[in-house]
């Protein structure tokens, strides 16, 4: 029993460190977004990109800061995966960004902790962030939110069921 507990604790630490490093690389996505908009690939305004960048960079840095401050690993799990959720939702809130399946990245990362309850909690948290993101994506229109949100919800429920099952195996 003690070996099992030690395995899961060691795994949680390793996953948090890996997630933190991967998220730091994700920072390079923001200059790329500015460049792609500047050359006309996307029609995203620089103001939207600046807001997206500030939200994304703050979220992305939180796991690294948490690790440096020795935040307890159980809290770091949530900080790390919620950072992904916030960064993706920030980009997904812009109507010119084609963020659909990327909402599932946090769900996939949550499976690496081998904890079904944790993955279920991340699915619930991620769903609310996704729907807030979709609300802004559709121009804060409730009828559009219902229309587009139902499609996002269906996709998210299917992904959540799959990832929760994977985390439990």
């Amino acid at each position: 029993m003690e070996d099992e507990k030690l395995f899961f604790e060691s795994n949680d630490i390793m996953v948090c460190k890996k997630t933190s490093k991967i998220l730091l690389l994700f920072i390079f996505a923001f200059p790329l977004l500015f460049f792609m908009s500047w050359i006309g690939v996307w029609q995203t305004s620089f103001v939207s990109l600046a807001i997206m960048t500030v939200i994304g960079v703050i979220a992305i840095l939180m796991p690294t800061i948490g690790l440096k401050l020795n935040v307890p690993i159980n809290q770091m799990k949530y900080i790390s995966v919620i950072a992904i959720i916030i960064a993706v939702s920030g980009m997904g809130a812009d109507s010119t960004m084609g963020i659909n399946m990327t909402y599932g990245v946090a769900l996939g990362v949550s499976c690496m902790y081998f904890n079904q309850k944790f993955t279920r909690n991340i699915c619930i948290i991620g769903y609310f962030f996704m729907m807030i993101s979709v609300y802004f994506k559709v121009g804060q229109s409730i009828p559009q939110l219902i229309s587009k949100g139902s499609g996002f919800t269906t996709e998210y429920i299917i992904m959540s069921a799959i990832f929760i099952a994977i985390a439990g195996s």
Side-chain angles (χ1 to χ4, degrees):
M1 187 67 165
E2 187 64 32
D3 288 342
E4 187 176 305
K5 184 178 178 187
L6 184 62
F7 166 78
F8 285 112
E9 188 172 323
S10 297
N11 181 68
D12 289 354
I13 292 167
M14 180 194 67
V15 173
C16 283
K17 287 180 179 178
K18 280 186 178 182
T19 303
S20 174
K21 288 178 184 175
I22 291 167
L23 280 170
L24 289 176
L25 293 173
F26 191 55
I27 286 178
F28 293 111
F30 297 106
L32 179 64
L33 295 175
F34 275 99
F35 177 73
M36 297 300 268
S37 292
W38 180 66
I39 64 171
V41 173
W42 291 308
Q43 304 304 313
T44 310
S45 75
F46 286 136
V47 172
S48 292
L49 287 171
I51 293 168
M52 197 183 308
T53 300
V54 168
I55 292 169
V57 169
I58 290 170
I60 287 167
L61 292 176
M62 293 311 294
T64 300
I65 293 168
L67 285 171
K68 298 275 188 222
L69 296 175
N70 293 318
V71 172
I73 200 63
N74 211 31
Q75 293 172 16
M76 279 305 305
K77 288 171 26 175
Y78 281 94
I79 291 168
S80 297
V81 180
I82 290 172
I84 296 168
I85 291 169
I86 292 170
V88 170
S89 296
M91 289 190 297
D94 190 282
S95 63
T96 64
M97 293 286 150
I99 303 291
N100 293 321
M101 292 178 11
T102 312
Y103 291 107
V105 170
L107 307 182
V109 170
S110 74
C111 289
M112 294 169 57
Y113 291 99
F114 305 120
N115 184 325
Q116 195 171 26
K117 182 180 174 187
F118 174 71
T119 298
R120 185 203 63 217
N121 291 344
I122 290 302
C123 288
I124 293 167
I125 293 166
Y127 177 76
F128 286 107
F129 273 92
M130 180 190 72
M131 290 308 290
I132 291 167
S133 176
V134 172
Y135 175 71
F136 286 104
K137 180 188 283 287
V138 298
Q140 301 166 359
S141 162
I142 297 299
Q144 285 287 337
L145 175 64
I146 293 168
S147 173
K148 293 233 188 254
S150 62
F152 277 89
T153 297
T154 302
E155 185 177 318
Y156 199 86
I157 289 171
I158 293 167
M159 287 192 311
S160 294
I162 291 168
F163 285 121
I164 291 169
I166 290 170
S169 37

